[in-house]
Amino acid sequence: MTEPLLHVTGLTTELGDPTRPARVVDGLTLDIRPGETFALLGESGCGKSMTALSLMRLLPPSGRITAGSVQLGGTELLSLTEAEMRQVRGGRMAMIFQEPQTSLNPVLTVGTQIGEAVRLHQGETRQRLGAERAVELLRAVGIPDPEQRLNEYPHQLSGGMKQRVMIAMALAGDPRLLIADEPTTALDVTIQAQVLRLLKAVQSANGLAVLLITHDLGVVAETAERLAVMYAGQIVETAPVAEFFAQPLHPYSRHLLESLPDAGKRGRRLAVIPGRVPPLDTPFQGCRFVERCPAAIKRCRLEAPEWRAFSDERGVRCHLAELDAAGVSSRPVSDRTDSPTPEPLSPTSDPNSPPSDTPTETAQVPLLTMRGLQVHFPIHQGVLRRVVGHVRAVDGISLDLYAGRTLALVGESGCGKTTAGKGLLQLVPPTGGSVRYRGQELIGLSHRRLRPFRKDLQIVFQDPFASMNPRMLVGDILGEGLQALRLAPKRAERMRRVAELLELVGLDPESADRYPHEFSGGQRQRLCIARALAVEPRILVCDEPTSALDVSVQAQILNLLKDLQERLGLAYLFITHDLSVVSYLAHEVAVMYLGRVVEHGRVADVLDDPRHPYTRALLSAVPVVDPEQRRQIIRLEGDMPSPRHPPSGCHFHPRCPEAIEVCRHHYPVETRLGSTRRVCCHCVDVGVATQTNGDSKIRS
Amino acid sequence: MPLIPVVLWTDALVFLLLAVTALFAVWAARHEHLRAPWRRVVRSRIGVATLVVLSAYAVVGLLDTVHFRLKLDRADESGEVRYAPEVLSLLDLALSGLRERQEKTYSAPFATHLHAKEALDQPDGTVIRDYPRLQHGGAHLADPERDRAWDIAWRSLIGLVQGLILWALLAAGLVWWLARRHGQPFDAVRNRILKGQTQIPWRTALGTLGLVLVLAFVIGELALKYHVLGTDKVGEDVLYQALKSIRTGLLIGTLTTLIMLPAAILLGIMAGYFRGWIDDLIQYLYTTLNSIPGVLLIAATILMLQVYMSNHADEFASLVERADLRLLFLCLILGVTSWTGLCRLLRGEALKLREIDYVQAAQALGVGHFTIIARHILPNVMHIVLITLVLDFSGLVLAEAVLSYVNIGVDPTMNSWGNMINSARLELARDPIVWWSLAAAFLFMFTLVLAANLFADVVRDAFDPRLRGV
Amino acid sequence: MTAYIVRRLLYAIPILIGVNLLTFMLFFVVNSPDDMARMHLGQKRVTEEAIQSWKAERGYDRPLLYNAEADGLASLTDTILFQKSVKLFVFQFGSSDDGRDIGYDISQRMWPSLAIAVPVLLIGLAFNISYALFIVFFRATYVDIGSVVLLVAMMSISGLFYIIGGQFLIGKLWHLAPISGYDQGLNAWKFLILPVIVGVVAGIGSGTRWYRTLFLEEIGRDYVRTARAKGLSERVVLFRHVLRNALIPILTGVVVVLPLLFMGSLITESFFGIPGLGSYTIDAISNQDFAIVRAMVFLGAVLYILGLILTDISYTLVDPRVRLQ
């Protein structure tokens, strides 16, 4: 057993008013060995970022460490003076943050910012040495043209590049431990893959230990060796990663895994964890998870569970695990509980063949057809603000929406998927193409002529906190559409409908008299869905409705959306960047790149056998929990180009590993593969599947 | 009837302002999101202390806003009831002693003699140059040299006791009311207030109130026999002037914002929400207005007003009315120069809000533009309006002094701190120096502006969502 | 960049036309030249001839907008609108009511104004930034709390009292500097001491408080946390990172007032007897000399717009993120 690099015992951190503090980290104990990747996993608000800041002693002014010990290589950090601690920060222990956009100083060049870290920790006072080392570091993190980049400012770099600069800066002091606080959460999945790969590479090259803080189970599974699960300020379970995913011990861990959507759970309900993380400023009597735990027994309420270690590497904080004694429990969740059990939605459904893939689908008449939709934003320049070009946010996409079916629109940020959704609803005026709803053209209708169609086309937004007016009562928010479209002009009638809607989305009808801020993120998203459903629409555009939510809450919303579709026969346009959600929920999928759809088809077809190189790269970059499903990652270099100046020929060719000469000059025409499948690539051979990725199967 | 009420233009606007405030208070009390920030305000110690001070000013100002003309004692031959031409306010009535006890010229605070020597006829027929006794200030003292200090101390004590008695009554009333409301025994509530354990810091509020009351009563008692702050060049009591100036200061600070508010809100939100040519037009409007230096615009307008008034002197019934109209006009023009800042802020906020999801959702639900503005945008910019309102107040009070100094402020016949400073500064060269008018204006202004600034800080902290939760 | 500046300059034209029309309305339409003449000549017993000759002397005897008696172009140019307002566009300010050339007066009087305004601005800026940094360095201690109370109190005092107090203390009581007056050329320095000190002190309250807020806002940002995580000391974080970012709003806020420095300060100059543009304006206001007021309004508008353009340009110089389109 090697000596741990970082040895934390009983770390307790409080935030806020000393008379009623929020104990955001409560008695945290963990060890990190030299050279390993240790993941701290938890949902938002569980205290994992505060743990990292406590280790660095960088807490916000209202925070303080009240107990515990942090030893780094034998040095007790908590008893160092501030000046000594500064030597450790950026020296033996470095940190990178979640938001590369805001974490770099906008008015200093990259070279200055790396240089000051170099000079500080290597005693190299002369500018020249600092610059040389900075170039070296930039090269080490895979930034092309490092000499050039030294003189650039952060805003000239893309998000992924900024995160690389952050890593370079962290490496400047040659640290032994790197704390990475959600390093890839703000990045797109292909960029995330680049950054995670880089982290692995620098780790093995420098032999440093990484404390990876994340909420993403896939990221943990692919990068970490050991993990600790945090809940409400405490560690509830530690385990080697492989063991954890094979056999999670704590009920919370188990539910977290169960609630992950993927293709295998199609047709079933996802497991959900009811309720929300308890507030940390109240004292706890029993287990912190008891209110949400379906397996709770009486003892859980009365007595806080002690930490129970099974071995050096495994431990859990749960009474039930103690009952199971040393024999590690292998009982599935469903043995203890009935409510969150994954149950089939309907008796006929079979997980491997989604119920709605019925043969009649092609015969159905589409509810809405979109042909060649364009949304271009003009770029003005010059003395007279003449239009010199366009940002081609959406550049000719064609989709059909059918009643009772879900079309997923997938792509990375900036590809125009949200604009496409808003263009469909005429919330941004399209500049070309056609959107026909039941045969009636919507583009070009005036505000008033559009009104009758508002009832049938609705939208749910990504951010549940920004999508409800904080100054209005929930009842008025839900009733707004009924009032505006004169569906229920009388208040009493409206409130009756509101009560029904609240019940429909699984909320208490009393909620109508409360304000949005009294609800949690997941509840708010239910309210937003209820608001959209109030006018009984036929089509619902869901714009990343779950990406701001924790995974357990996401499951609730996905279940709800699925139920509602079954019951009301809604057509969904589901806009997302998350392929696991697509595989769980959607029937058809359209992959967007730089304003255009590059591949379109049934979910099973596209995800199992992606034909477009971009789709393949996207799929391979998604971190997967199950090692058997893991694909070989296709390296995608660079970032998505700006829709202002799309590359000539195929938009994807500068990044495409399979690009050939013709790709540089001509945008590929659409190739039809079968009745439902369309791909835009020069390299697609009709009828013959490309063989480059034989192992790229989601399911065996 | 012994009097007929006179409603000046500014009086009417003040009453309108009061009505609007009362309506807003009722509205806010029913809406949690409006009540919550105010609750934060009254739970801050600085908040309640400044509120008490500001209320004291407001009471004086309001007393000075109820105007009327008194009935003359004797009717004329026809038996018709006649009213005095002089327009008085409640405050004038309450301070009639101060108003009427005029001296000849300057006298220092608490003086018993004039500030300047005069030729005095002695009983024996000779004439000497000496400081003559004041007609009113300390006139009751037989030997001022010997008795004055004791008399002042004694009267202060009487005032102090009176103030404390009233304060004790009020405090007891408050505790009784709190006890009844919370259903707790009187003693328990009192103890909690004394220990400072109440959510609203009643201890601070009562402390400040006590200070204000004691001060008011001590000065009131002394003012019966002395000129507490001296007299000015024509022998008018400076304390009276300073008190009368309160209304002017408050009016400038509040009416200006009230006048500019509708335009700023409407135009700012419209520019941000509709964008396009409406935005261009409104932006042009405020850039143009903004590009004229404020003081010069005010100067030009007031000069023009003066020309107009002097050429149409017969259109104004009385001096008071004329001064009042000028004050109103000053508020108006100050409003014109100050609405642009708020307008620009609101435009920026409306630009942000129109893209926010809940506005987009409302658009997707087919809600009309004006409903969206009224329901979604206006309530979400109100905190900006309120913060601007309180932040502007102190600046406007200070601006009045400067403008009056340049002779483009309020009418020279109107009592205002600016006019007090203006007429007093020339006398600084005198020896011994005449300092009391300046000191009085300084004290009254400083207290008001300081309280307003501190209060504005508390309000901003309570309302600004960016500053919350840190 | 050039295109941007050209466009901004073009945009200034309609604004200046607006300003011009507004002043024209104010000075010639609300009150006719007859009204002004009557005002100047005294209210009572003014003969019609006196009014006419007053107007003729000052060129106000033309029609407002259209001269029916003149021919051709002159029917438009020989009007009050053209002679008194349009000519402002080429900086022909005409002569004041007592017959002096306004343009010449302005060119003479702007130097004393600058001699006060520039030192006040620079010293004030240096002092306020240093004091704000000092407060921020000791944030959340008694230094911070005490300073904030002091600053709010200083803000609550009218500028008039700073001048009166300064004159009384420094000039009259301590005899450290002359109370008022001015001298030509370099001899002016001793007359500048008092107004500059007063100007700086009067600006401390609001200035320092604003800078403190700016600094505190920057300190809460993510990049500061990154800088601390590198192990930088609080001093370096404050000076290299926070100050650099906070200087952007500070500098651009200064740039916008730079051109207006020419206009001088009304109150200070008249109190201290400095023959600058500020006291020029004040005198014009109290003498009711509308020609000067009109000229100053227009000049002020031009300088303000210039300030706005300079602000935008200065953004591109100090903030690497801003590129003008």
Side-chain angles (χ1 to χ4, degrees):
Chain A
M1 188 85 258
T2 45
E3 195 58 23
L5 174 69
L6 182 79
H7 181 66
V8 183
T9 40
L11 180 71
T12 304
T13 301
E14 292 181 351
L15 267 191
D17 186 7
T19 55
R20 202 178 166 217
R23 196 168 275 199
V24 286
V25 182
D26 195 357
L28 181 121
T29 299
L30 58 84
D31 284 342
I32 298 178
R33 296 175 207 136
E36 77 169 341
T37 303
F38 187 92
L40 198 55
L41 180 81
E43 293 182 289
S44 55
C46 71
K48 51 193 196 303
S49 284
M50 281 301 154
T51 306
L53 293 176
S54 303
L55 297 180
M56 292 289 279
R57 283 181 44 190
L58 280 176
L59 286 169
S62 65
R64 66 220 154 260
I65 298 169
T66 53
S69 124
V70 178
Q71 286 179 356
L72 180 70
T75 321
E76 174 58 52
L77 297 186
L78 297 186
S79 59
L80 294 182
T81 64
E82 183 59 27
E84 289 165 333
M85 188 63 205
R86 278 205 293 271
Q87 294 295 315
V88 176
R89 274 185 219 133
R92 273 186 290 165
M93 179 160 73
M95 183 162 177
I96 56 177
F97 299 94
Q98 173 174 359
E99 281 291 340
Q101 307 293 348
T102 56
S103 293
L104 288 170
N105 190 333
V107 301
L108 297 180
T109 59
V110 168
T112 318
Q113 298 191 52
I114 299 181
E116 67 182 1
V118 170
R119 281 193 296 281
L120 197 64
H121 294 290
Q122 308 213 326
E124 287 168 289
T125 45
R126 275 179 300 155
Q127 188 72 36
R128 178 175 295 268
L129 281 174
E132 266 170 30
R133 173 84 175 120
V135 169
E136 206 176 286
L137 285 167
L138 284 181
R139 192 167 287 132
V141 295
I143 289 185
D145 229 355
E147 290 87 356
Q148 199 67 40
R149 299 284 175 185
L150 279 188
N151 298 317
E152 287 187 1
Y153 289 94
H155 70 97
Q156 291 166 293
L157 306 175
S158 67
M161 284 295 173
K162 280 186 207 151
Q163 199 59 293
R164 283 168 191 264
V165 170
M166 285 292 292
I167 294 173
M169 224 152 66
L171 294 180
D174 204 10
R176 305 320 307 149
L177 174 67
L178 178 66
I179 302 176
D181 186 2
E182 304 263 12
T184 58
T185 308
L187 304 175
D188 275 316
V189 62
T190 54
I191 310 296
Q192 162 168 295
Q194 291 175 4
V195 171
L196 288 179
R197 198 168 59 230
L198 171 70
L199 269 180
K200 273 275 163 210
V202 295
Q203 182 180 20
S204 57
N206 303 12
L208 50 80
V210 173
L211 172 59
L212 179 74
I213 291 170
T214 183
H215 69 281
D216 190 328
L217 289 160
V219 169
V220 173
E222 293 208 343
T223 49
E225 282 116 41
R226 291 196 304 141
L227 65 74
V229 181
M230 255 188 112
Y231 184 80
Q234 286 184 327
I235 288 184
V236 294
E237 180 168 1
T238 56
V241 165
E243 276 183 49
F244 176 81
F245 285 104
Q247 214 169 49
L249 290 183
H250 198 278
Y252 175 64
S253 317
R254 280 200 294 262
H255 281 98
L256 225 43
L257 280 175
E258 291 284 343
S259 61
L260 272 185
D262 68 39
K265 292 173 187 148
R266 263 188 100 90
R268 286 187 300 172
R269 295 180 66 91
L270 293 170
V272 299
I273 309 180
R276 60 207 278 192
V277 181
L280 295 173
D281 54 0
T282 46
F284 294 96
Q285 204 193 1
C287 172
R288 293 171 188 213
F289 187 58
V290 62
E291 295 300 333
R292 306 174 72 186
C293 184
I297 54 174
K298 199 175 171 194
R299 190 175 158 204
C300 299
R301 291 191 182 279
L302 301 175
E303 186 186 330
E306 286 298 308
W307 180 253
R308 183 176 173 82
F310 296 113
S311 69
D312 265 359
E313 303 202 317
R314 284 219 89 167
V316 67
R317 193 185 293 275
C318 181
H319 288 307
L320 300 168
E322 278 175 57
L323 289 182
D324 290 336
V328 168
S329 161
S330 58
R331 270 193 281 167
V333 183
S334 47
D335 282 8
R336 288 209 186 96
T337 165
D338 38 20
S339 63
T341 316
E343 279 170 7
L345 273 176
S346 56
T348 54
S349 73
D350 167 14
N352 285 332
S353 64
S356 37
D357 288 359
T358 46
T360 56
E361 70 176 72
T362 41
Q364 228 183 336
V365 184
L367 211 49
L368 180 134
T369 55
M370 185 197 275
R371 289 290 170 267
L373 182 79
Q374 287 183 341
V375 184
H376 291 183
F377 299 108
I379 308 169
H380 298 280
Q381 233 167 33
V383 176
L384 296 172
R385 315 289 289 142
R386 266 192 303 249
V387 177
V388 294
H390 285 94
V391 175
R392 297 160 191 271
V394 177
D395 197 17
I397 66 171
S398 305
L399 303 169
D400 291 321
L401 296 179
Y402 295 91
R405 295 177 60 82
T406 302
L407 170 65
L409 197 55
V410 184
E412 294 178 284
S413 57
C415 72
K417 53 191 192 301
T418 295
T419 314
K422 288 188 177 170
L424 184 154
L425 291 169
Q426 313 298 310
L427 287 177
V428 289
T431 46
S434 107
V435 175
R436 286 177 172 270
Y437 173 70
R438 290 185 159 161
Q440 163 71 44
E441 179 61 50
L442 297 184
I443 292 180
L445 288 187
S446 69
H447 195 68
R448 190 181 312 167
R449 300 264 314 278
L450 210 54
R451 267 202 172 173
F453 299 100
R454 292 290 186 209
K455 185 190 146 332
D456 288 353
L457 308 169
Q458 278 303 313
I459 182 165
V460 176
F461 293 96
Q462 168 176 6
D463 182 357
F465 292 85
S467 51
M468 274 184 291
N469 187 344
R471 310 276 190 241
M472 279 168 75
L473 288 171
V474 163
D476 294 327
I477 293 173
L478 299 195
E480 189 170 26
L482 295 171
Q483 190 183 14
L485 299 174
R486 299 195 185 82
L487 297 173
K490 290 211 186 69
R491 189 175 161 79
E493 193 186 342
R494 246 186 353 256
M495 289 305 131
R496 197 174 44 75
R497 278 286 294 144
V498 166
E500 287 171 16
L501 284 165
L502 286 168
E503 269 185 282
L504 183 70
V505 297
L507 288 174
D508 185 3
E510 304 285 306
S511 310
D513 295 324
R514 290 158 66 189
Y515 283 97
H517 70 88
E518 298 171 55
F519 297 87
S520 69
Q523 288 172 320
R524 283 181 198 218
Q525 206 56 295
R526 286 168 188 267
L527 291 173
C528 291
I529 294 171
R531 169 175 61 189
L533 293 180
V535 293
E536 295 174 355
R538 309 297 309 144
I539 295 174
L540 195 58
V541 175
C542 302
D543 186 1
E544 307 245 19
T546 58
S547 58
L549 304 175
D550 279 318
V551 59
S552 64
V553 182
Q554 162 175 298
Q556 300 172 8
I557 299 298
L558 292 180
N559 282 343
L560 175 67
L561 285 173
K562 212 158 190 171
D563 282 353
L564 290 172
Q565 187 169 53
E566 298 252 312
R567 258 203 274 175
L568 309 172
L570 294 169
Y572 289 151
L573 177 65
F574 199 92
I575 298 168
T576 184
H577 66 276
D578 188 340
L579 287 164
S580 55
V581 173
V582 173
S583 59
Y584 170 71
L585 190 75
H587 303 98
E588 277 175 282
V589 60
V591 181
M592 265 184 95
Y593 187 78
L594 220 57
R596 298 191 182 174
V597 173
V598 295
E599 183 161 5
H600 184 287
R602 281 193 291 200
V603 165
D605 297 343
V606 174
L607 298 191
D608 285 357
D609 179 20
R611 294 299 184 83
H612 196 282
Y614 177 64
T615 317
R616 279 203 291 273
L618 205 60
L619 275 168
S620 76
V622 179
V624 191
V625 169
D626 185 352
E628 301 202 347
Q629 292 177 5
R630 224 164 273 166
R631 307 145 185 267
Q632 185 197 346
I633 290 181
I634 302 170
R635 297 173 65 111
L636 263 198
E637 289 312 328
D639 302 287
M640 182 156 32
S642 154
R644 192 179 274 237
H645 308 291
S648 65
C650 175
H651 290 347
F652 187 58
H653 86 258
R655 300 174 75 191
C656 182
E658 298 162 40
I660 51 176
E661 187 54 31
V662 64
C663 302
R664 278 178 229 290
H665 306 294
H666 301 286
Y667 195 87
V669 288
E670 198 173 86
T671 311
R672 287 197 159 271
L673 302 171
S675 60
T676 56
R677 191 122 195 241
R678 301 189 307 254
V679 184
C680 287
C681 182
H682 289 297
C683 303
V684 169
D685 222 355
V686 185
V688 183
T690 33
Q691 296 300 314
T692 46
N693 259 359
D695 57 341
S696 67
K697 290 265 175 191
I698 278 190
R699 294 180 303 245
S700 42
Chain B
M1 258 221 305
L3 50 85
I4 46 169
V6 177
V7 180
L8 299 173
W9 274 104
T10 49
D11 295 347
L13 281 174
V14 169
F15 297 139
L16 178 70
L17 181 69
L18 281 181
V20 169
T21 317
L23 275 179
F24 180 75
V26 173
W27 170 262
R30 289 217 224 113
H31 289 77
E32 175 57 26
H33 56 85
L34 289 170
R35 217 168 48 203
W38 281 114
R39 202 181 293 134
R40 275 193 289 272
V41 170
V42 296
R43 282 182 185 171
S44 129
R45 284 211 306 244
I46 297 179
V48 291
T50 50
L51 257 181
V52 170
V53 174
L54 291 175
S55 312
Y57 272 89
V59 166
V60 175
L62 283 178
L63 283 178
D64 204 7
T65 293
V66 184
H67 286 105
F68 45 77
R69 280 159 59 188
L70 286 177
K71 193 166 85 171
L72 287 179
D73 287 341
R74 44 173 210 287
D76 66 350
E77 299 85 52
S78 58
E80 215 176 310
V81 183
R82 300 257 306 227
Y83 293 95
E86 204 181 4
V87 177
L88 292 177
S89 70
L90 280 182
L91 185 75
D92 290 323
L93 225 52
L95 301 177
S96 48
L98 283 181
R99 191 162 52 94
E100 284 154 9
R101 282 197 292 271
Q102 286 229 351
E103 304 293 343
K104 233 180 192 166
T105 180
Y106 291 114
S107 69
F110 294 112
T112 53
H113 293 78
L114 270 186
H115 188 62
K117 283 187 180 172
E118 272 184 14
L120 292 178
D121 295 324
Q122 292 294 310
D124 55 5
T126 54
V127 175
I128 56 161
R129 284 192 65 78
D130 199 0
Y131 300 102
R133 276 293 290 271
L134 294 180
Q135 284 167 330
H136 305 285
H140 61 294
L141 299 176
D143 181 359
E145 300 265 319
R146 192 193 60 208
D147 300 339
R148 195 177 69 154
W150 282 112
D151 190 53
I152 290 174
W154 173 242
R155 283 177 191 281
S156 305
L157 189 67
I158 294 177
L160 182 80
V161 171
Q162 286 172 339
L164 283 179
I165 290 173
L166 181 62
W167 177 75
L169 286 176
L170 286 177
L174 176 83
V175 174
W176 174 80
W177 176 72
L178 282 178
R180 226 185 64 154
R181 223 183 100 189
H182 297 294
Q184 287 171 333
F186 188 90
D187 288 353
V189 175
R190 189 195 58 202
N191 287 339
R192 281 205 306 140
I193 290 178
L194 280 177
K195 285 187 196 146
Q197 289 169 339
T198 45
Q199 271 190 323
I200 297 175
W202 288 115
R203 188 173 61 168
T204 316
L206 285 174
T208 320
L209 182 69
L211 206 67
V212 171
L213 282 177
V214 165
L215 216 58
F217 272 87
V218 168
I219 291 175
E221 188 66 29
L222 287 169
L224 288 175
K225 294 293 174 189
Y226 296 95
H227 298 291
V228 176
L229 291 172
T231 55
D232 75 347
K233 191 171 185 176
V234 293
E236 228 188 11
D237 191 280
V238 173
L239 176 65
Y240 172 72
Q241 288 180 341
L243 285 171
K244 286 287 281 183
S245 302
I246 288 179
R247 174 175 185 267
T248 316
L250 291 180
L251 279 188
I252 298 246
T254 50
L255 286 193
T256 302
T257 15
L258 181 76
I259 288 170
M260 64 112 174
L261 222 46
I265 294 179
L266 193 71
L267 294 181
I269 292 182
M270 274 176 52
Y273 183 77
F274 289 111
R275 300 198 296 193
W277 65 269
I278 297 180
D279 187 21
D280 290 341
L281 189 73
I282 293 170
Q283 275 200 72
Y284 169 74
L285 198 68
Y286 73 62
T287 318
T288 305
L289 272 178
N290 227 12
S291 64
I292 303 176
V295 187
L296 286 176
L297 185 65
I298 296 166
T301 324
I302 294 293
L303 282 182
M304 283 302 130
L305 186 74
Q306 271 177 351
V307 173
Y308 183 85
M309 281 182 165
S310 62
N311 285 328
H312 302 82
D314 41 330
E315 285 178 21
F316 303 99
S318 68
L319 276 181
V320 175
E321 226 168 275
R322 191 177 132 162
D324 180 70
L325 263 185
R326 178 160 166 170
L327 175 67
L328 183 62
F329 214 78
L330 184 68
C331 290
L332 202 73
I333 192 66
L334 273 172
V336 169
T337 56
S338 64
W339 69 278
T340 51
L342 179 63
C343 186
R344 195 188 330 221
L345 269 181
L346 291 180
R347 172 180 171 270
E349 198 65 19
L351 269 178
K352 261 186 264 164
L353 283 177
R354 80 187 294 281
E355 299 296 333
I356 208 164
D357 288 349
Y358 58 79
V359 174
Q360 299 254 312
Q363 282 171 350
L365 286 166
V367 181
H369 289 312
F370 286 94
T371 318
I372 289 184
I373 288 181
R375 198 185 284 161
H376 293 291
I377 299 199
L378 193 61
N380 284 295
V381 299
M382 272 328 262
H383 67 278
I384 299 181
V385 174
L386 204 84
I387 292 171
T388 318
L389 219 132
V390 289
L391 280 179
D392 278 359
F393 175 82
S394 49
L396 287 166
V397 173
L398 292 176
E400 184 274 328
V402 172
L403 292 178
S404 297
Y405 165 78
V406 196
N407 283 324
I408 50 174
V410 296
D411 197 87
T413 61
M414 189 168 224
N415 283 309
S416 88
W417 293 314
N419 281 337
M420 282 171 74
I421 299 169
N422 196 11
S423 55
R425 76 186 167 93
L426 294 173
E427 309 300 335
L428 274 178
R430 272 173 177 258
D431 207 34
I433 190 170
V434 176
W435 50 268
W436 42 91
S437 275
L438 280 178
F442 175 78
L443 268 180
F444 274 81
M445 245 169 107
F446 180 68
T447 314
L448 176 63
V449 175
L450 183 65
N453 274 334
L454 292 172
F455 185 67
D457 274 4
V458 175
V459 169
R460 192 186 46 198
D461 291 352
F463 278 83
D464 195 337
R466 282 188 311 158
L467 299 173
R468 233 177 283 154
V470 180
Chain C
M1 182 78 174
T2 324
Y4 177 81
I5 294 171
V6 171
R7 205 179 71 247
R8 286 300 300 260
L9 287 174
L10 289 180
Y11 185 57
I13 293 172
I15 291 177
L16 288 178
I17 291 177
V19 171
N20 212 312
L21 284 179
L22 201 76
T23 44
F24 178 76
M25 293 278 288
L26 211 59
F27 284 97
F28 296 107
V29 180
V30 176
N31 289 295
S32 67
D34 285 30
D35 290 336
M36 289 196 294
R38 211 169 282 131
M39 170 103 187
H40 268 266
L41 297 169
Q43 293 304 311
K44 309 276 185 266
R45 289 189 298 280
V46 185
T47 59
E48 190 59 25
E49 293 90 78
I51 291 178
Q52 288 309 327
S53 74
W54 188 90
K55 279 165 59 181
E57 261 171 48
R58 290 160 181 81
Y60 292 134
D61 53 347
R62 299 181 177 92
L64 276 185
L65 298 172
Y66 182 77
N67 194 343
E69 288 162 24
D71 314 314
L73 203 58
S75 64
L76 288 177
T77 56
D78 200 18
T79 57
I80 290 185
L81 175 69
F82 188 83
Q83 292 296 330
K84 299 291 172 190
S85 281
V86 178
K87 278 191 171 174
L88 290 176
F89 280 107
V90 289
F91 298 103
Q92 284 188 9
F93 297 116
S95 48
S96 66
D97 285 352
D98 52 11
R100 293 174 60 90
D101 181 13
I102 298 178
Y104 175 78
D105 276 352
I106 289 178
S107 69
Q108 288 298 302
R109 281 173 160 259
M110 63 190 220
W111 302 112
S113 287
L114 281 181
I116 293 187
V118 171
V120 167
L121 180 82
L122 293 181
I123 299 175
L125 204 59
F127 182 87
N128 292 345
I129 290 178
S130 322
Y131 188 24
L133 275 176
F134 174 78
I135 297 174
V136 167
F137 193 79
F138 291 102
R139 63 186 171 279
T141 65
Y142 283 105
V143 175
D144 188 9
I145 298 165
S147 296
V148 170
V149 170
L150 179 73
L151 293 175
V152 175
M154 287 184 78
M155 277 174 70
S156 308
I157 298 174
S158 166
L160 295 172
F161 289 111
Y162 282 106
I163 299 177
I164 295 171
Q167 281 187 330
F168 183 72
L169 280 182
I170 300 178
K172 196 165 176 185
L173 219 55
W174 300 335
H175 297 291
L176 293 177
I179 290 185
S180 73
Y182 199 70
D183 205 344
Q184 288 306 310
L186 289 174
N187 295 329
W189 70 271
K190 61 172 184 267
F191 292 103
L192 295 180
I193 299 174
L194 191 51
V196 169
I197 292 179
V198 167
V200 169
V201 172
I204 290 177
S206 52
T208 308
R209 211 167 81 106
W210 183 46
Y211 297 156
R212 173 183 169 269
T213 324
L214 286 180
F215 288 140
L216 284 182
E217 209 168 286
E218 288 298 324
I219 277 189
R221 298 206 191 272
D222 284 354
Y223 70 82
V224 173
R225 193 180 54 187
T226 311
R228 291 205 183 110
K230 275 190 239 174
L232 295 177
S233 69
E234 191 61 24
R235 194 175 46 83
V236 177
V237 168
L238 211 54
F239 279 91
R240 194 179 295 155
H241 289 265
V242 173
L243 183 60
R244 231 19 119 77
N245 279 278
L247 272 183
I248 293 173
I250 293 177
L251 282 184
T252 47
V254 167
V255 169
V256 76
V257 301
L258 274 184
L260 289 170
L261 293 183
F262 283 98
M263 302 286 287
S265 151
L266 298 182
I267 311 298
T268 316
E269 289 183 14
S270 79
F271 255 106
F272 291 104
I274 311 279
L277 280 184
S279 54
Y280 188 56
T281 316
I282 289 263
D283 293 345
I285 291 172
S286 48
N287 296 333
Q288 312 202 330
D289 191 329
F290 302 119
I292 298 179
V293 174
R294 215 166 46 231
M296 296 306 287
V297 165
F298 189 76
L299 189 65
V302 171
L303 293 174
Y304 174 79
I305 292 168
L306 191 68
L308 287 185
I309 298 175
L310 285 181
T311 307
D312 284 349
I313 296 173
S314 70
Y315 258 119
T316 62
L317 297 179
V318 293
D319 191 340
R321 284 164 296 184
V322 177
R323 287 280 166 275
L324 297 181
Q325 289 278 319

